[in-house]
Amino acid sequence: MPRTWRIEAKRDASARPVRVVLFGLGPIGVLAGKLVHSKECLEIVGAIDIDPKKVGKDVGELLGTAKVGVVVSDRVTETLTAAKADIAVQTTSSHMPNVGPQLADIIATGTNIVSSTEELLYPYLQSSEIGDEIDKLAKEHGVTVLGTGVNPGFVMDTLALVTTFACREVRSIRVTRVVDAATRRGPLQRKVGAGMAPEEFRCEVEAGRMGHVGLVESIAFLASGLGWAVDRIEEQIEPVVADASVKTDYFDVRPGQVKGIHQTGAGWVKGEKVIEMDLLMCMAPDEPGDRIQVSGDPDMDIRICGGTPGDVATPAALVNAIPRVLAAAPGLVTMKDISLPSVLAAGRMRIEGRAGG
Amino acid sequence: MPRTWRIEAKRDASARPVRVVLFGLGPIGVLAGKLVHSKECLEIVGAIDIDPKKVGKDVGELLGTAKVGVVVSDRVTETLTAAKADIAVQTTSSHMPNVGPQLADIIATGTNIVSSTEELLYPYLQSSEIGDEIDKLAKEHGVTVLGTGVNPGFVMDTLALVTTFACREVRSIRVTRVVDAATRRGPLQRKVGAGMAPEEFRCEVEAGRMGHVGLVESIAFLASGLGWAVDRIEEQIEPVVADASVKTDYFDVRPGQVKGIHQTGAGWVKGEKVIEMDLLMCMAPDEPGDRIQVSGDPDMDIRICGGTPGDVATPAALVNAIPRVLAAAPGLVTMKDISLPSVLAAGRMRIEGRAGG
């Protein structure tokens, strides 16, 4: 005889949707916007982009949805002030120096921020001063700023850190991620160097125009979460050269051309390599998937079979983080400062007042 | 040429160790105590047990460590008050009605609590009134109470919920856990029914004296985190009967006798099974391991290869949760209310004053 329980659902009828402004309407911004639009508990109340081809249009035109009744504007302060938004979903650039002034403008209107800026995952590695300034500003205005995504933001850092909860002790962590770029959107295929000559690839890397942004931030985030005084973080980026033709919807890679990128990083404590990250993004790799190996007591060996598709999961992470950001203490926070990240709960959510209508 | 970064470690020289009282010195309490004792950032300042064989002894004798300088007492209020503890690690019983009065006594001394009580993982399923009362008391005294462990507490619930962060939408979740009881401590082998006659096993189950406690709480916790109005939770417990002899250090199971337990649970929303849990704990199963399968957008399929050893991981989870409990808002909280769980960070931790010295 099975035992049976019943639980009452507690719904908060008085809750209102969270008011969201989309800041940036590139591929990730559009995907995040579509997701916001589809959720009962969220409402698009503003949209900002500098592209003249987008400004003036109803945001629904860009999202591929019905008319939303929100017109895309290039005026940041005006739009945010009028929108009385709870939060901005900011998706404009990977780098702190580019987004710093944008974040400051958003914060000044009393609006919380969830950002896809890769370097924000751990802002104190490369842009410590900008990070400190944003943190100070956010505290002054009583708002919270978080950088997240699927990578960086989840697979190679947050999930790895959570895995250690089962351990008495951790000695080292190795994370590997293998992404089949052939199944991803065109810009990602370009990002991994598809079709380039190996020399051209190396020049682009040297010039800082190529490579996944955030790997070293994932390392720094993990080290910070583990309380490890990492004295050196190193990163290396190499092309993966095709030995046979690979054809996708976007590219036709010939033998000898680049079919992907192999990016590795490591963190050392007193000369010992304690964090290792290995990211392979290429056309038709042997076995796509993610793996987290914790060497400790006990060892933990976690595999995400088939991997985590970034094109879907990054906008999901941004949107799923919204209630956690709204509930977090003011300041520039990281994924380890918010309460347990998870998919947006069904139904309306209670918003603990601060900004908004 | 690899790119290189250096990060400065921020150590807080003024931080003091967290003052911990061990409440309960059974197998889990002793393992948790050993771990507390081994950590620079934690200090045992009191020990409580009702067993006359333990009372009066230095706690180090029970932990198998050097003398700690703390004598085991059976006086709760007196010990906690004198110890000026920040937190009690409470490991006495699986069931809310048993621990309710103990929690109340601890809370009354202004001490935070991390507990291995399985039903506390989601206290509102079976003991909603006790849960409400503890929550009220904890808020009155400005302390935080959390129930955690490896299962319930991590593998089948918290980790499953975190996995959904990568999803735009979740339709259903299935979690399976296969534990090789032959590698576990004697009491666990007894707990899974090793060597029993199947009829005796069924009688024990009917009498509520047998079975893993917490599976239905894991379901309720997940449902609550997902915002799902689960209208029915069901649980079933069956013996696994040996078809060949199995011998361990503790038991000698003959064919026809019970070699383990197969416990399943499910949660339904409007007649649809949306959460499934399958727990097999037996001698020498085919393939020990944990698996979380999220059906959604995208699907997620996570495997913990080889599984998560509960004897090590449950005390680890209790101790690792300490800083999160100290930092959480007062009240009876669950794993989704604390900030990202992870292994105890190296070094001293800053304690945001409340209770303690």
Side-chain angles (χ1 to χ4, degrees):
Chain A
M1 261 278 292
R3 295 193 296 165
T4 305
W5 291 264
R6 168 182 289 277
I7 49 174
E8 298 300 321
K10 287 176 196 161
R11 281 289 158 88
D12 186 353
S14 71
R16 62 162 176 81
V18 173
R19 301 171 64 83
V20 179
V21 164
L22 306 175
F23 190 111
L25 289 163
I28 294 294
V30 163
L31 286 167
K34 269 177 154 163
L35 191 54
V36 168
H37 187 62
S38 74
K39 297 286 181 183
E40 182 201 359
C41 60
L42 305 175
E43 185 184 358
I44 299 175
V45 295
I48 295 167
D49 201 287
I50 51 164
D51 184 346
K53 289 198 289 286
K54 295 173 184 168
V55 173
K57 285 188 176 158
D58 185 277
V59 70
E61 262 186 76
L62 300 167
L63 303 183
T65 63
K67 208 172 166 182
V68 172
V70 167
V71 173
V72 179
S73 165
D74 54 3
R75 300 190 181 185
V76 175
T77 305
E78 202 177 297
T79 304
L80 285 164
T81 306
K84 292 197 170 88
D86 297 298
I87 192 161
V89 178
Q90 194 259 2
T91 57
T92 58
S93 163
S94 301
H95 302 286
M96 290 284 289
N98 298 339
V99 299
Q102 297 172 4
L103 297 176
D105 285 348
I106 301 171
I107 292 167
T109 66
T111 309
N112 299 284
I113 303 170
V114 60
S115 169
S116 66
T117 301
E118 284 90 339
E119 291 179 0
L120 261 186
L121 192 266
Y122 191 77
Y124 306 103
L125 182 66
Q126 304 199 54
S127 304
S128 177
E129 277 172 37
I130 304 176
D132 287 339
E133 201 183 316
I134 295 299
D135 183 51
K136 187 166 160 275
L137 259 180
K139 281 175 178 150
E140 278 170 18
H141 287 84
V143 300
T144 307
V145 181
L146 172 77
T148 193
V150 73
N151 188 34
F154 185 62
V155 173
M156 300 189 88
D157 34 56
T158 300
L159 191 61
L161 193 56
V162 166
T163 301
T164 68
F165 184 62
C167 301
R168 292 199 279 216
E169 192 191 2
V170 174
R171 286 182 295 273
S172 63
I173 297 186
R174 182 179 159 79
V175 187
T176 52
R177 175 163 164 82
V178 178
V179 176
D180 185 356
T183 64
R184 300 282 298 264
R185 63 185 201 274
L188 188 103
Q189 296 186 15
R190 193 169 300 112
K191 179 181 155 186
V192 305
M196 276 184 174
E199 269 325 292
E200 185 190 355
F201 180 101
R202 291 204 170 87
C203 287
E204 290 294 296
V205 170
E206 281 303 314
R209 285 193 296 265
M210 184 120 209
H212 162 76
V213 181
L215 200 75
V216 293
E217 278 75 16
S218 290
I219 294 172
F221 171 86
L222 257 186
S224 150
L226 295 162
W228 290 355
V230 168
D231 42 40
R232 185 157 57 99
I233 292 177
E234 219 174 79
E235 184 181 52
Q236 224 156 351
I237 302 175
E238 293 292 337
V240 183
V241 178
D243 48 18
S245 291
V246 192
K247 217 177 143 63
T248 76
D249 292 349
Y250 306 94
F251 286 93
D252 191 356
V253 179
R254 292 186 305 275
Q257 288 185 333
V258 174
K259 68 166 182 174
I261 185 169
H262 185 209
Q263 189 161 340
T264 53
W268 278 262
V269 171
K270 291 177 187 158
E272 207 181 326
K273 196 191 280 188
V274 290
I275 300 176
E276 261 187 281
M277 304 258 167
D278 191 304
L279 174 63
L280 179 71
M281 297 196 284
C282 81
M283 305 298 178
D286 285 344
E287 199 184 341
D290 307 313
R291 187 173 183 187
I292 296 163
Q293 290 164 282
V294 176
S295 165
D297 177 20
D299 291 340
M300 294 288 286
D301 184 1
I302 291 195
R303 286 167 198 259
I304 307 181
C305 305
T308 317
D311 288 346
V312 179
T314 288
L318 289 167
V319 172
N320 291 336
I322 288 175
R324 305 291 175 271
V325 172
L326 296 180
L332 174 53
V333 302
T334 70
M335 285 297 286
K336 70 188 174 63
D337 306 310
I338 61 170
S339 64
L340 204 73
S342 62
V343 72
L344 212 61
R348 295 282 171 90
M349 63 182 91
R350 177 172 286 287
I351 306 154
E352 311 284 339
R354 268 223 298 268
Chain B
M1 261 276 294
R3 295 193 295 165
T4 306
W5 291 263
R6 167 182 289 277
I7 50 174
E8 298 299 322
K10 287 177 198 162
R11 280 291 156 88
D12 186 353
S14 71
R16 62 163 176 82
V18 173
R19 300 171 65 84
V20 179
V21 164
L22 305 174
F23 191 110
L25 290 162
I28 294 294
V30 163
L31 286 168
K34 270 177 154 165
L35 191 54
V36 169
H37 187 62
S38 75
K39 296 287 179 183
E40 182 200 358
C41 59
L42 305 175
E43 185 183 358
I44 299 175
V45 295
I48 295 167
D49 200 287
I50 49 163
D51 184 347
K53 289 197 290 285
K54 294 173 185 169
V55 172
K57 286 188 175 160
D58 184 277
V59 70
E61 263 187 74
L62 300 168
L63 303 184
T65 63
K67 208 171 165 183
V68 172
V70 167
V71 173
V72 179
S73 166
D74 55 2
R75 300 189 181 187
V76 174
T77 305
E78 202 176 298
T79 305
L80 285 164
T81 307
K84 293 197 171 83
D86 297 299
I87 192 161
V89 178
Q90 194 258 2
T91 57
T92 58
S93 163
S94 301
H95 302 286
M96 290 284 290
N98 298 339
V99 299
Q102 297 172 3
L103 297 177
D105 285 348
I106 302 171
I107 292 168
T109 67
T111 309
N112 299 284
I113 302 169
V114 60
S115 169
S116 66
T117 300
E118 284 89 338
E119 290 178 1
L120 261 186
L121 192 265
Y122 192 78
Y124 306 103
L125 182 66
Q126 303 199 53
S127 305
S128 176
E129 277 172 36
I130 306 176
D132 287 338
E133 202 183 315
I134 295 299
D135 183 51
K136 189 166 158 275
L137 259 180
K139 281 175 178 152
E140 277 170 21
H141 287 84
V143 301
T144 307
V145 181
L146 172 77
T148 192
V150 72
N151 188 34
F154 186 62
V155 172
M156 298 188 90
D157 34 56
T158 300
L159 191 60
L161 193 55
V162 166
T163 300
T164 68
F165 184 62
C167 301
R168 291 198 280 214
E169 191 192 4
V170 173
R171 286 182 295 273
S172 64
I173 297 185
R174 182 181 159 77
V175 188
T176 52
R177 176 163 164 82
V178 178
V179 177
D180 185 355
T183 64
R184 300 282 298 265
R185 63 186 202 274
L188 189 103
Q189 296 185 15
R190 192 168 303 112
K191 179 182 154 185
V192 305
M196 276 185 173
E199 269 324 292
E200 185 191 355
F201 180 101
R202 291 205 171 85
C203 287
E204 289 293 297
V205 169
E206 281 302 316
R209 284 192 298 264
M210 185 118 209
H212 162 75
V213 181
L215 200 76
V216 293
E217 278 74 17
S218 291
I219 294 171
F221 170 86
L222 258 186
S224 150
L226 295 163
W228 290 356
V230 168
D231 43 41
R232 183 158 57 99
I233 292 177
E234 219 174 79
E235 185 181 50
Q236 222 155 351
I237 303 176
E238 294 292 335
V240 183
V241 178
D243 48 16
S245 291
V246 192
K247 216 177 145 65
T248 76
D249 292 350
Y250 306 93
F251 286 94
D252 191 356
V253 178
R254 292 188 305 276
Q257 289 185 334
V258 174
K259 69 166 183 174
I261 186 171
H262 185 208
Q263 189 161 341
T264 52
W268 276 262
V269 170
K270 292 178 189 156
E272 207 181 325
K273 198 191 279 187
V274 289
I275 300 176
E276 262 187 282
M277 303 257 168
D278 191 304
L279 174 63
L280 179 72
M281 297 196 285
C282 80
M283 306 297 179
D286 284 343
E287 198 184 342
D290 308 312
R291 188 172 181 186
I292 295 162
Q293 290 164 282
V294 175
S295 164
D297 177 20
D299 292 339
M300 293 289 286
D301 183 1
I302 290 195
R303 287 167 196 257
I304 306 181
C305 305
T308 317
D311 289 346
V312 180
T314 288
L318 289 168
V319 173
N320 291 337
I322 289 176
R324 303 291 176 271
V325 172
L326 296 180
L332 174 54
V333 302
T334 70
M335 287 296 286
K336 69 187 175 63
D337 305 310
I338 61 169
S339 63
L340 204 74
S342 61
V343 72
L344 212 60
R348 296 282 172 87
M349 63 182 89
R350 179 172 286 285
I351 306 154
E352 309 285 341
R354 268 221 296 269

